[in-house]
Amino acid sequence: MSKCLLSIVLLCIPLVTSAQAVNDDCSAATEVGEGSHPYVLTTSTLDGPADCDDNILNDVWFSYTASGDGIANINTCSQTGTDSDSIIVVYDGSNGCPTSGPCLASSDDACGNSQFMSTVDVPVTQGSNYLIQVAGWNGSEGDGTVDIYLNTGATPSNDDCSEATEVGEG
């Protein structure tokens, strides 16, 4: 008579789901400087105010510390990924994550040929922190690149309204 041993092996395979972006919450904003930085909106949720653009349904956050005084251009114009409609909002980061209130700049659909991508110009001070909210318009998802450039050139003489340059036709 032969003996049989019954053996059962359970194999557990975790269900793979899309994880939220690391910088989905403002409190976990990705620290960046000037340059190109990837973002993913596909699994992001709204974390922060929509005061400056009420079409924000999902967002990711970046924490930018200016390397000099000047004008920072922050944009998604390169349209490197699958995101097809971005919003950019910039806040003063010195008081932490915003819950409401004024933003320093906001943009939706300002890149010209890139159609629904966004660009803002913000006066910045060396060593100061700025929080950048990159969002999808009405829940637009996908990935892309946010580019940050710093122009430290001299302030133009017509920078203030009171010093406007008079022009004629042409």
Side-chain angles (χ1 to χ4, degrees):
M1 176 180 219
S2 65
K3 294 185 179 183
C4 293
L5 179 63
L6 178 62
S7 175
I8 299 174
V9 176
L10 294 176
L11 181 60
C12 239
I13 301 173
L15 178 62
V16 177
T17 60
S18 297
Q20 288 181 316
V22 173
N23 57 342
D24 185 38
D25 294 329
C26 177
S27 61
T30 300
E31 292 185 26
V32 296
E34 290 86 25
S36 296
H37 310 284
Y39 68 88
V40 178
L41 295 173
T42 305
T43 58
S44 68
T45 58
L46 179 61
D47 167 58
D51 296 354
C52 293
D53 193 314
D54 59 5
N55 291 304
I56 294 175
L57 296 179
N58 54 336
D59 60 21
V60 292
W61 291 86
F62 295 90
S63 176
Y64 165 62
T65 301
S67 66
D69 295 343
I71 305 293
N73 173 264
I74 304 166
N75 73 75
T76 56
C77 297
S78 63
Q79 210 168 4
T80 59
T82 59
D83 181 22
S84 61
D85 201 342
S86 69
I87 296 170
I88 296 174
V89 183
V90 181
Y91 297 92
D92 178 350
S94 62
N95 294 319
C97 294
T99 55
S100 68
C103 58
L104 300 175
S106 177
S107 173
D108 182 17
D109 303 346
C111 288
N113 291 339
S114 292
Q115 296 189 10
F116 301 117
M117 303 312 276
S118 303
T119 184
V120 295
D121 288 324
V122 181
V124 296
T125 303
Q126 181 176 3
S128 294
N129 181 259
Y130 303 89
L131 290 168
I132 303 167
Q133 183 183 30
V134 177
W137 184 85
N138 272 346
S140 175
E141 295 184 342
D143 63 332
T145 302
V146 61
D147 297 311
I148 303 172
Y149 303 99
L150 179 60
N151 180 356
T152 57
T155 303
S157 61
N158 62 346
D159 187 46
D160 292 329
C161 181
S162 63
E163 299 169 349
T165 303
E166 288 193 40
V167 295
E169 292 181 35

